[in-house]
Amino acid sequence: MTRTKYVAGNWKMNLTKPEAVKLFTQVIEEMFRVTHTKVIVAAPFVYLDILNNLINDQGLQLSAQNVATSGFGAFTGEVSAPMLYSLGLKYCIIGHSERRQFFGDTNEVIKSKVDQTIEVGMQPVFCCGETLDQRESGEHFSTVKFQLQSGLFHLSEEAISKVIIAYEPVWAIGTGKTASALQAQEMHQMIRTTVSEKYTSAVASNIAILYGGSVNAGNAKALFQEPDIDGALVGGASLKADEFAKIIHAMEDLFQ
């Protein structure tokens, strides 16, 4: 069974409303050429409903960039999984390194967010990755393994099968540096093996694992050719329609 392939764009905290609508419309225009790849755009909360109304079965999907740890209640400024699901969203990024680093998303918090997302029927895009210090000290595998165990391994076999994992080396996010295709494959293989050891080889072989970390049109093809890399979580390059399109088609080209 061939795993689902994804190219997901994370817009982070960027774009005004007119800019967001223009960019999303340009991405939609590319979708008529896409037949094998699931394309996802993670837009800021304030644009999700607006952009959702622009989709007309082109195969493009929206994702949230974060979610609250509770369903409803007196949590001013938070956005819950039931709210996102009511907009028709199917995906939510959880545990991005920026959330871990700047907003106090501990492993326990991330675990709660995973549960909230799955409970309403959405798919978490679970981010994991090591810092430069952790890689240079040889702790990169143990760091990522611990993040997986803490955030995901309480899930049932059925629930874990709904998760998309995104490996994002922190030292390669927004820096212009990219893990080599070999480095990325090595980590993706370790992640799949770790999932297999906790669950089964069948579960592990079906889970999509994406690479994130300064993915661009120049390096996407080499990354996508690795056997355990099932796509990309794209940051800055997803803010440029032509660059994002080239990354999507780098994946599509593998099916030719």
Side-chain angles (χ1 to χ4, degrees):
M1 178 180 175
T2 303
R3 287 188 296 274
T4 303
K5 304 300 182 182
Y6 296 88
V7 173
N10 180 12
W11 287 1
K12 305 189 179 184
M13 193 178 72
N14 289 294
L15 307 175
T16 62
K17 176 185 170 183
E19 291 169 340
V21 169
K22 180 181 178 181
L23 176 56
F24 197 69
T25 301
Q26 290 172 326
V27 176
I28 287 174
E29 290 170 356
E30 286 294 325
M31 293 304 295
F32 78 95
R33 300 167 55 199
V34 178
T35 55
H36 300 285
T37 309
K38 285 198 175 184
V39 180
I40 302 169
V41 169
F45 284 135
V46 291
Y47 303 142
L48 288 171
D49 200 30
I50 298 164
L51 300 181
N52 200 36
N53 290 328
L54 299 176
I55 298 176
N56 291 309
D57 297 324
Q58 292 92 346
L60 186 61
Q61 296 288 344
L62 281 166
S63 171
Q65 298 177 11
N66 185 37
V67 69
T69 56
S70 302
F72 292 100
F75 303 104
T76 302
E78 291 293 283
V79 178
S80 72
M83 293 174 182
L84 296 171
Y85 184 73
S86 73
L87 295 179
L89 266 68
K90 296 181 179 179
Y91 304 95
C92 182
I93 296 175
I94 295 175
H96 193 280
S97 64
E98 292 158 1
R99 298 297 314 178
R100 294 175 187 263
Q101 182 178 356
F102 302 123
F103 299 99
D105 278 19
T106 63
N107 288 316
E108 266 312 301
V109 167
I110 290 164
K111 178 181 175 182
S112 297
K113 291 182 176 184
V114 167
D115 290 344
Q116 285 290 320
T117 306
I118 289 176
E119 189 175 327
V120 298
M122 295 169 64
Q123 287 186 256
V125 180
F126 177 87
C127 297
C128 55
E130 81 283 2
T131 64
L132 184 59
D133 285 346
Q134 288 166 333
R135 174 162 280 271
E136 290 182 340
S137 63
E139 299 172 5
H140 47 302
F141 288 141
S142 60
T143 296
V144 171
K145 187 175 286 192
F146 183 72
Q147 290 171 343
L148 294 169
Q149 292 168 338
S150 301
L152 296 179
F153 282 7
H154 64 291
L155 296 173
S156 67
E157 192 170 298
E158 180 184 2
I160 192 75
S161 298
K162 297 173 183 175
V163 176
I164 299 166
I165 297 173
Y167 166 59
E168 293 198 309
V170 180
W171 49 272
I173 298 174
T175 63
K177 297 178 181 179
T178 311
S180 69
L182 185 61
Q183 286 174 317
Q185 164 59 21
E186 188 179 45
M187 183 63 82
H188 280 234
Q189 185 179 51
M190 188 282 294
I191 290 171
R192 203 174 300 284
T193 298
T194 302
V195 173
S196 176
E197 289 169 351
K198 168 64 178 176
Y199 296 94
T200 66
S201 58
V203 169
S205 65
N206 286 326
I207 283 184
I209 308 175
L210 317 184
Y211 173 77
S214 297
V215 177
N216 57 51
N219 58 36
K221 182 178 179 180
L223 289 163
F224 294 163
Q225 287 176 330
E226 295 295 334
D228 285 296
I229 297 179
D230 302 311
L233 180 56
V234 185
S238 70
L239 297 171
K240 302 170 185 175
D242 57 343
E243 182 87 357
F244 192 52
K246 288 175 183 175
I247 296 170
I248 295 168
H249 294 299
M251 178 62 83
E252 285 288 294
D253 287 347
L254 297 183
F255 292 89
Q256 302 305 315

